[in-house]
Amino acid sequence: MEIWINPACSKCRSAIDLLDAEGAEYTVRRYLEDVPSPDEIRTVLDRLGLEPWDITRTQETAAKELGLKDWPRDADSRDRWVSALAEHPKLIQRPIITAEDGTALVARTDEAVRDALSR
């Protein structure tokens, strides 16, 4: 199990606290420092069953500067979104947990973290 976190994020810290309380084995990836490649983002999206715009923090300054709210959300634009996430990792929703069963989820709630633990 791997968890992508921003240590400054309260949701990430809560997820780590719960994983620790449950005695889970996991690897921490500080994705702002260890930036995922476009291929890694695509893999996580596949595991999440989501599209890049589904995990994009659209209220971030970089999102506004890029004009993301006006970008098309379709198959032809998918690579453009993935590239934006790779170039501006702060736009990636957090925390993301890759579960043991090959799936992943955005673990912003205790319920989502427990769901990841049960997989």
Side-chain angles (χ1 to χ4, degrees), residues 3 6 8 15-16 21 27-28 35 40-41 43 50 52-53 61 80 82 84-85 92-94 98 104 106 111 115:
I3 182 169
N6 173 350
I16 293 287
T27 303
V28 170
V35 178
E40 288 175 306
I41 292 170
T43 297
L50 297 173
W53 45 86
T61 302
R80 181 180 183 196
V82 168
L85 293 174
I92 299 172
Q93 190 59 264
R94 60 194 183 242
T98 56
V106 178
E111 293 78 22
D115 185 12

Side-chain angles (χ1 to χ4, degrees), residues 13 23 25-27 29 31 37 79 94 119:
R13 291 191 307 270
E25 291 186 26
Y26 62 93
T27 303
R29 180 169 187 171
Y31 70 92
S37 69
D79 284 340
R94 60 194 183 242
R119 294 180 181 202

Side-chain angles (χ1 to χ4, degrees), residues 2 4 29-46 52 55 78-89 92 96:
E2 182 176 77
W4 290 10
R29 180 169 187 171
R30 294 177 180 224
Y31 70 92
L32 296 179
E33 299 163 14
D34 182 9
V35 178
S37 69
D39 285 341
E40 288 175 306
I41 292 170
R42 284 186 200 91
T43 297
V44 164
L45 287 167
D46 289 345
I55 66 162
R78 191 173 200 263
D79 284 340
R80 181 180 183 196
W81 282 85
V82 168
S83 293
L85 293 174
E87 291 168 22
H88 306 276
I92 299 172
I96 293 176

Side-chain angles (χ1 to χ4, degrees), residues 55-112:
I55 66 162
T56 300
R57 298 173 53 86
T58 58
Q59 296 306 310
E60 290 288 335
T61 302
K64 292 175 182 175
E65 289 171 354
L66 292 168
L68 289 182
K69 70 177 181 134
D70 298 324
W71 287 17
R73 297 177 181 212
D74 57 27
D76 291 339
S77 301
R78 191 173 200 263
D79 284 340
R80 181 180 183 196
W81 282 85
V82 168
S83 293
L85 293 174
E87 291 168 22
H88 306 276
K90 195 169 187 180
L91 296 176
I92 299 172
Q93 190 59 264
R94 60 194 183 242
I96 293 176
I97 296 177
T98 56
E100 296 289 329
D101 69 353
T103 62
L105 60 141
V106 178
R108 295 189 56 77
T109 65
D110 286 353
E111 293 78 22

